[in-house]
Amino acid sequence: MTQLVTGDEQRAIETYTMDEVGLGQAVLTERAAMATMNVLAAGNYDLSKVLVLAGLGNNGSDGVALARLLHQAKIPVTLQFVGNVKRANDNVKAQLKAAEACGVERAEKSDFKEPSLIIDAIFGTGLNADLPDGLQKMVKAANHIDNTVVALDIPTGIDATSGEIRGAVLKASTTIAFGFQKVGTSRGAGKKNSGRIIVQDIGLITPENFTFSIK
Ligand SMILES: NC(=O)C1=CN([C@@H]2O[C@H](COP(=O)(O)OP(=O)(O)OC[C@H]3O[C@@H](n4cnc5c(N)ncnc54)[C@H](O)[C@@H]3O)[C@@H](O)[C@H]2O)[C@H](O)CC1
Ligand SMILES: [K+]
């Protein structure tokens, strides 16, 4: 039985790994991107034209790092930010610098019918309110198109703990859970919209006396 975690528990373990143990943010982000590469390489995903949708937080930084790795593996990939990249956090900006240094192609807007695979790196465990209206419209439009979506950590729009939909949810056929499966993807709408859950180790270190709320 896989250990399930709440959003807060995941954040606590990530923070301990980064701040106490000292494995930096970039290490965990790289491990998340590499773990996703392994899943994409091992599964029967059509990688002929990949679109990475990246948000402005650390879920987005996972997506930007993944776009770099896909590009370096000669897989056709385009990176599209959802939101104003000027407002992105420092990790996203650092990842974007590396992605641009190796020539990753950017898109402002995409026709969701085009890509053979969409990577959802918009929101992860940090979602704390309903999606902005514009994004809700985009997500609902994307859901009506027959495409394959792989969600990083959790489908955008799903609350990591309650599993509720925050306005709209980008339906995934696969969700790659970093470290632990979030309890929100194991119940209710979260379960319905996550598709196949694949848990991938990204080197998180759980504090010795950590007690999980979900037994
Ligand atoms: N924390 C780590 O070391 C690692 C995290 N990983 C990945 O990062 C996400 C969690 O990242 P976080 O920055 O906490 O949040 P998100 O990227 O999910 O959200 C971005 C940002 O957006 C703001 N926000 C939240 N809700 C809304 C909303 N409804 N409208 C607008 N803006 C919103 C809020 O400020 C958030 O911070 C985790 O899922 C992992 O994918 C790495 O994998 C490993 C290291
Ligand atoms: K996501």
Side-chain angles (χ1 to χ4, degrees):
M1 169 64 181
T2 48
Q3 176 65 53
L4 297 171
V5 293
T6 63
D8 287 344
E9 288 169 343
Q10 175 81 15
R11 265 187 295 280
I13 294 167
E14 286 171 355
T15 306
Y16 173 75
T17 303
M18 286 185 298
D19 300 350
E20 303 287 309
V21 176
L23 272 180
Q25 174 87 42
V27 167
L28 292 180
T29 299
E30 201 71 14
R31 287 288 305 267
M34 291 169 76
T36 303
M37 285 295 279
N38 292 341
V39 170
L40 296 181
N44 51 356
Y45 297 99
D46 178 351
L47 302 180
S48 55
K49 192 175 169 54
V50 181
L51 171 65
V52 175
L53 296 174
L56 307 179
N58 292 331
N59 197 245
S61 62
D62 294 349
V64 180
L66 175 66
R68 169 170 44 86
L69 298 186
L70 287 165
H71 181 76
Q72 288 177 316
K74 305 267 180 283
I75 290 164
V77 58
T78 307
L79 170 64
Q80 176 181 331
F81 279 102
V82 174
N84 181 346
V85 68
K86 291 192 185 62
R87 294 197 2 251
N89 76 15
D90 292 347
N91 301 312
V92 171
K93 287 180 180 157
Q95 290 296 338
L96 178 57
K97 191 171 169 203
E100 285 176 335
C102 64
V104 168
E105 186 195 332
R106 294 275 298 280
E108 288 311 312
K109 215 175 143 25
S110 314
D111 169 353
F112 291 139
K113 289 193 272 302
E114 294 261 301
S116 60
L117 178 69
I118 294 175
I119 302 290
D120 166 10
I122 306 171
F123 287 115
T125 55
L127 184 69
N128 57 26
D130 282 2
L131 299 184
D133 290 347
L135 181 53
Q136 289 194 35
K137 284 196 190 75
M138 183 185 119
V139 160
K140 287 170 182 166
N143 286 338
H144 279 106
I145 294 164
D146 179 21
N147 50 32
T148 305
V149 175
V150 170
L152 300 193
D153 214 23
I154 189 160
T156 287
I158 292 293
D159 180 284
T161 304
S162 70
E164 279 153 15
I165 297 176
R166 302 301 309 259
V169 53
L170 184 55
K171 194 171 176 49
S173 46
T174 304
T175 295
I176 301 174
F178 300 133
F180 299 91
Q181 182 181 348
K182 305 340 169 245
V183 63
T185 60
S186 72
R187 55 188 176 195
K191 184 177 171 119
K192 272 213 284 295
N193 288 281
S194 293
R196 179 168 167 237
I197 308 257
I198 301 175
V199 180
Q200 287 287 295
D201 177 26
I202 62 166
L204 293 175
I205 298 161
T206 306
E208 207 107 313
N209 48 5
F210 193 84
T211 42
F212 291 94
S213 60
I214 300 153
K215 303 288 174 221

